[in-house]
Amino acid sequence: MKVINSTPRADGFYMPAEFSPHYGCIMIFPERSDSWQYGGYAARKAFVRVAEAIAKSEKLTVCASSKQYENARRMLPEHIRVVEMSSNDSWARDYAPTFVTNGKGSGAEIRGVNWGFNAWGGLVDGLYFPWDSDDKMARKLCDLYEKDMYDHSDFILEGGSIHVDGEGTCITTEACLLSPGRNPSLTKEEIEENLREYLGVEKIIWLKNGIYGDETNEHVDNICAFVKPSEVVLAWTDDQSDPQYALSQSCFEILSQSTDAKGRPFKIHKLHCPKPVTVTPEECEGLDTMDFNPTRTPGERLAASYVNFYIANKAVVMPFFGDPADEPARRLLGELFPEREIIAVPARDILIGGGNIHCITQQIPIFEE
Ligand code: KQY
């Protein structure tokens, strides 16, 4: 693996959209007992269901620690590759490389971008310490896939904080990218310049917020996602007494008044959230403490949203929560992705860890093998 001393944009590389055909996906097997209740048993089962759904239509590699390697190999079907790799937790979207490509289809070359990772805010408001093993994963995965790498590790960014349309547009949130634990010495304009250079985009759409209570400082991948160029789904509620109401309204206004990099207005599909999902005392009991503090408290609201889906080549893998909004969400995604099977996976055990299906998957574009 070679470290390239330029930027993707300068070399004609860009991050493709998640809905475009791709080679495969990376996940990380869950284990840490202050993230995943009862030692991660239920989370591992949920991850396996996500993995099986994704691997129906693309190649999947699951990274597992030396302690979990044997479990992972036994629980996952044999067509899923399992490799031993150390990490601090299981958020592939956020610290596996962001892959960029210089073309479409089988003639394309892909390269990885290694952003800096500091557990969603470092010593300011990060979610755990240390994060050094997570931070090394992009480099290790570029090596594993034999892909050259742009090293941009002096810029803090998680993959879940950006969405692109592959045609020059990036959507992100101010709450996250301008948070004091990320890149406090950079202005908004300088942050935009970094996104343009390393994602190969022309235009950044800044939403103000994401999902209420999202501990990542409100990653975009929980509130808004592209379903095709100039078409997005937006997490929504009509309940004016819900603090999410104002956040979703503000996103709607910004998106309605924006155009994408090609000058097209956005078509916005409202994807209604489930009723607030809160942590039970029993779930809290099953979580180990961190620095002598509980990681969750009974009644705490989790950042549940159906927008946190993964677009596989022939399927959309979506979370479901046992809520009346599950079925309407499944129907809407079915209408938006008529050529893909909609696979709904029970996601509460992933949500307790602080994220959902998009957060635990990182996509790899098509390349010349
Ligand atoms: O991308 C994410 N949603 C990750 C959240 C990490 C939470 C750590 N408990």
Side-chain angles (χ1 to χ4, degrees):
M1 181 265 288
K2 196 165 72 201
V3 175
I4 303 164
N5 197 14
S6 59
T7 70
R9 184 179 157 104
D11 296 340
F13 282 67
Y14 65 96
M15 181 184 175
E18 184 149 322
F19 49 75
S20 54
H22 49 275
Y23 168 81
C25 180
I26 298 166
M27 293 176 67
I28 308 165
F29 217 50
E31 170 173 9
R32 64 182 288 156
S33 55
D34 52 8
S35 280
W36 311 104
Q37 52 160 340
Y38 297 100
Y41 290 97
R44 285 194 280 281
K45 287 191 178 154
F47 272 55
V48 167
R49 289 187 67 172
V50 173
E52 286 170 343
I54 291 173
K56 277 181 167 185
S57 59
E58 61 197 59
K59 290 198 183 289
L60 175 64
T61 294
V62 176
C63 303
S65 74
S66 55
K67 256 168 81 185
Q68 280 300 324
Y69 174 80
E70 201 176 311
N71 267 340
R73 186 60 288 167
R74 182 181 53 83
M75 291 172 73
L76 290 159
E78 58 192 18
H79 61 284
I80 295 176
R81 175 169 73 163
V82 180
V83 297
E84 192 180 309
M85 197 176 286
S86 43
S87 65
N88 302 102
D89 204 353
S90 309
W91 306 100
R93 177 66 52 175
D94 290 342
Y95 39 80
T98 296
F99 288 103
V100 289
T101 179
N102 64 353
K104 285 191 169 65
S106 54
E109 185 189 343
I110 69 165
R111 296 174 178 172
V113 177
N114 176 31
W115 312 100
F117 177 75
N118 70 357
W120 310 276
L123 299 181
V124 177
D125 60 352
L127 299 175
Y128 50 68
F129 179 89
W131 53 78
D132 55 325
S133 298
D134 291 341
D135 195 29
K136 289 181 193 140
M137 284 201 96
R139 194 176 280 270
K140 292 179 183 175
L141 285 159
C142 285
D143 247 335
L144 181 73
Y145 283 94
E146 299 180 309
K147 298 296 156 214
D148 292 340
M149 188 189 88
Y150 295 97
D151 187 17
H152 200 30
S153 48
D154 51 357
F155 181 75
I156 300 294
L157 188 108
E158 305 93 42
S161 69
I162 46 157
H163 257 312
V164 297
D165 64 357
E167 298 190 0
T169 317
C170 170
I171 305 184
T172 189
T173 63
E174 292 183 358
C176 180
L177 264 64
L178 306 186
S179 69
R182 301 298 199 293
N183 300 289
S185 65
L186 300 184
T187 63
K188 187 174 179 183
E189 290 65 38
E190 288 167 333
I191 291 171
E192 282 209 2
E193 195 46 31
N194 277 281
L195 298 179
R196 274 196 284 271
E197 282 303 316
Y198 284 84
L199 298 174
V201 295
E202 307 297 326
K203 181 164 186 179
I204 322 293
I205 311 279
W206 291 89
L207 305 179
K208 295 215 177 308
N209 292 96
I211 290 288
Y212 175 73
D214 185 329
E215 62 197 21
T216 62
N217 304 100
E218 304 171 37
H219 274 181
V220 74
D221 70 346
N222 221 7
I223 182 97
C224 183
F226 283 104
V227 294
K228 55 174 77 150
S230 77
E231 242 178 276
V232 295
V233 284
L234 176 65
W236 194 256
T237 177
D238 285 329
D239 178 358
Q240 296 193 23
S241 68
D242 186 330
Q244 184 58 45
Y245 182 82
L247 307 187
S248 292
Q249 286 284 334
S250 153
C251 293
F252 187 84
E253 275 161 34
I254 291 166
L255 288 163
S256 320
Q257 288 159 18
S258 304
T259 50
D260 69 8
K262 291 197 184 301
R264 300 169 290 208
F266 287 103
K267 184 165 185 190
I268 308 164
H269 302 275
K270 295 174 177 171
L271 189 49
H272 285 254
C273 292
K275 285 194 296 297
V277 176
T278 54
V279 195
T280 67
E282 205 221 337
E283 287 164 342
C284 291
E285 281 274 291
L287 285 164
D288 280 350
T289 53
M290 189 188 293
D291 295 334
F292 299 99
N293 294 311
T295 47
R296 301 260 176 248
T297 43
E300 178 182 337
R301 179 166 172 178
L302 297 167
S305 152
Y306 299 103
V307 169
N308 215 294
F309 53 79
Y310 176 80
I311 309 174
N313 277 330
K314 293 195 179 147
V316 172
V317 189
M318 64 167 282
F320 83 87
F321 304 104
D323 185 273
D326 287 348
E327 263 324 299
R330 185 206 287 259
R331 261 200 311 279
L332 178 59
L333 291 176
E335 286 160 21
L336 297 174
F337 295 99
E339 273 130 40
R340 288 176 163 96
E341 182 188 4
I342 308 300
I343 306 179
V345 173
R348 187 180 178 97
D349 287 307
I350 305 176
L351 185 63
I352 292 169
N356 229 298
I357 290 166
H358 194 258
C359 313
I360 62 169
T361 52
Q362 180 61 299
Q363 206 175 57
I364 309 167
I366 287 180
F367 56 94
E368 190 158 36
E369 285 188 87

